[in-house]
Amino acid sequence: MLGKGIFLFGNYTWLGEYRAESIMAAVKRILNQEVEIDLLVPLDIFHAAYLLNTKMVETPNPVLVEFVKPILVDDELRKMTVADDLLSRVFAAKYLAELLKRFKELGNAHGGGDGGGSAPLQTYSTVLVEQAEKVKNQVKRELRAIKAYADLMANTGHEVSFGELLELKFVVNLETLLSIFRDISVEIEREYQRSPSGVIGGIEFGRDLRTVLPSAYALPDEIFWYKFATATLPQTFSVETHLKKFVLVVDKSASMRRGNKTLWSRAVALALAKLAKQGKVRAKLLFFDYKPIPERPVDLLTEFDVAIKYILTLECNGGTSIDSAVCVADKENYTIILVTDGEDRVTYKPRNRLVT
């Protein structure tokens, strides 16, 4: 059973215990070791981030107060986490894990245990508390990117999980990437093709009685049949639209780390993903280094969440083989858009249009 925490409106029932245990399980995964600590520590770190009203009990545990003080005075952080169970738990897990990591590095690590959580708070001493402000700032920077990712996924209808957010390791500065993405303007014109069905595309002249304008039947008979004979009857024609189809092939080799090539190429990928999600294009995405990643292009509409993870978390490393990537992309019968710094010899000649 949980003891008495420091927040007057904190939840210390079974729900609080569940939250504390889920946070501690995450801490163990992050540190890859067993951790023994009072469960009130992760829970009240969570409460400090989550609760709108953070009024404390009359005699709060002073060590716990020191743990949460940097969180309570940080308006920017709390604006991200208040009333958000998921982000508050992610923050609490990362914050506590980093504190314990620093504690161990300072030579004050506490022995293993079964993770049940009952080591006295004083075990961690003022040495750990002194690190709280630095750790809070570090984790807050991570949380900005995690929140931006969660918001991006929410806009696509993808519901993120605690484990998913906890394990994200972004290879780019997400705020900078989204800034570049917002500055990119991509206009794609639809392709029109004549069709027996579809929408009216305009007026033309001919003798097809199936599509004659109704107003033509008001003409005197001799004029109507004269226009028929000379193929000058006004009539409509129909067209149907076809979405343009693209495969975006993005270089993720080690050379792309130089300059802002990674940020720019992934901002282009995000822009094309947005167009696909809006139904303006049909598009797929393929990364490559010395081989295509994944083995087949990812559909930016039906596999949007998978594509976003590749864009944000796939590291730039390895050699470069443009031929192998273009060969795979060419199987889609889509226009190929190749984003690369070009540090490789290309010999494969695609049958589809290639834009570099």
Side-chain angles (χ1 to χ4, degrees):
M1 289 292 292
L2 291 171
K4 184 179 180 182
I6 63 174
F7 291 104
L8 186 62
F9 299 103
N11 190 316
Y12 301 101
T13 64
W14 64 268
L15 178 58
E17 189 168 356
Y18 161 77
R19 284 168 169 162
E21 288 176 348
S22 71
I23 292 167
M24 284 309 302
V27 169
K28 293 174 189 176
R29 286 203 306 274
I30 294 170
L31 298 177
N32 195 28
Q33 67 180 62
E34 288 297 320
V35 178
E36 184 180 347
I37 191 170
D38 193 316
L39 286 178
L40 285 175
V41 177
L43 182 56
D44 273 340
I45 291 173
F46 166 86
H47 283 145
Y50 178 79
L51 291 175
L52 179 61
N53 187 334
T54 55
K55 184 177 181 181
M56 294 188 183
V57 296
E58 288 186 8
T59 55
N61 184 305
V63 180
L64 267 175
V65 172
E66 291 300 319
F67 269 105
V68 303
K69 188 185 295 182
I71 304 168
L72 295 175
V73 298
D74 194 319
D75 292 338
E76 181 190 359
L77 171 62
R78 282 180 40 81
K79 186 176 180 181
M80 289 189 282
T81 59
V82 165
D84 190 317
D85 178 272
L86 203 56
L87 285 181
S88 295
R89 278 193 288 146
V90 170
F91 172 81
K94 287 182 172 289
Y95 179 73
L96 182 55
E98 184 60 27
L99 280 175
L100 294 175
K101 179 182 174 183
R102 295 194 181 201
F103 183 75
K104 183 176 182 179
E105 290 170 353
L106 290 168
N108 296 315
H110 182 70
D114 62 0
S118 60
L121 300 180
Q122 288 76 9
T123 301
Y124 295 92
S125 74
T126 57
V127 175
L128 186 56
V129 171
E130 288 172 357
Q131 299 292 317
E133 179 67 24
K134 296 176 184 177
V135 170
K136 182 263 299 181
N137 288 332
Q138 174 186 321
V139 177
K140 182 172 71 171
R141 288 193 294 271
E142 290 184 51
L143 200 69
R144 288 194 198 106
I146 291 170
K147 177 172 171 51
Y149 171 82
D151 291 344
L152 188 62
M153 291 294 96
N155 289 335
T156 70
H158 173 68
E159 186 175 344
V160 295
S161 67
F162 177 53
E164 179 183 351
L165 294 183
L166 200 67
E167 294 169 7
L168 284 173
K169 290 182 174 59
F170 299 113
V171 297
V172 293
N173 183 306
L174 193 55
E175 291 177 286
T176 306
L177 174 64
L178 292 176
S179 175
I180 296 173
F181 161 69
R182 285 189 286 267
D183 289 339
I184 291 178
S185 177
V186 181
E187 295 295 332
I188 302 292
E189 292 184 0
R190 292 182 179 240
E191 294 179 331
Y192 294 90
Q193 181 176 315
R194 292 179 73 99
S195 169
S197 59
V199 298
I200 294 176
I203 304 295
E204 61 185 5
F205 297 94
R207 56 161 62 97
D208 189 343
L209 296 178
R210 295 171 300 176
T211 58
V212 170
L213 283 176
S215 59
Y217 289 107
L219 294 170
D221 284 352
E222 62 274 17
I223 295 177
F224 179 89
W225 293 111
Y226 170 77
K227 287 184 174 290
F228 174 79
T230 57
T232 56
L233 281 172
Q235 56 191 61
T236 62
F237 65 91
S238 299
V239 295
E240 60 181 4
T241 60
H242 289 272
L243 294 180
K244 291 187 176 180
K245 300 185 290 186
F246 300 100
V247 181
L248 182 64
V249 181
V250 180
D251 190 344
K252 62 160 288 293
S253 62
S255 62
M256 291 291 287
R257 289 200 297 261
R258 295 196 292 270
N260 66 349
K261 290 183 284 189
T262 296
L263 280 168
W264 185 86
S265 64
R266 297 184 194 224
V268 171
L270 277 179
L272 196 60
K274 179 182 177 182
L275 290 174
K277 195 67 179 176
Q278 292 173 338
K280 294 181 179 179
V281 297
R282 293 181 63 184
K284 298 187 179 184
L285 174 66
L286 185 71
F287 283 91
F288 72 95
D289 43 39
Y290 64 89
K291 65 179 182 179
I293 301 171
E295 294 181 354
R296 62 168 182 81
V298 177
D299 192 300
L300 288 174
L301 177 60
T302 61
E303 301 172 286
F304 185 83
D305 56 322
V306 176
I308 294 299
K309 285 181 184 176
Y310 275 120
I311 292 169
L312 300 181
T313 64
L314 204 59
E315 292 187 48
C316 286
N317 51 34
T320 308
S321 176
I322 298 175
D323 272 351
S324 61
V326 172
C327 183
V328 170
D330 201 30
K331 297 176 183 177
E332 299 296 327
N333 199 26
Y334 286 21
T335 295
I336 302 167
I337 302 174
L338 175 64
V339 180
T340 178
D341 55 9
E343 297 183 12
D344 182 40
R345 188 168 62 90
V346 183
T347 59
Y348 178 77
K349 303 297 181 185
R351 58 192 174 89
N352 291 294
R353 183 176 175 229
L354 175 63
V355 180
T356 302

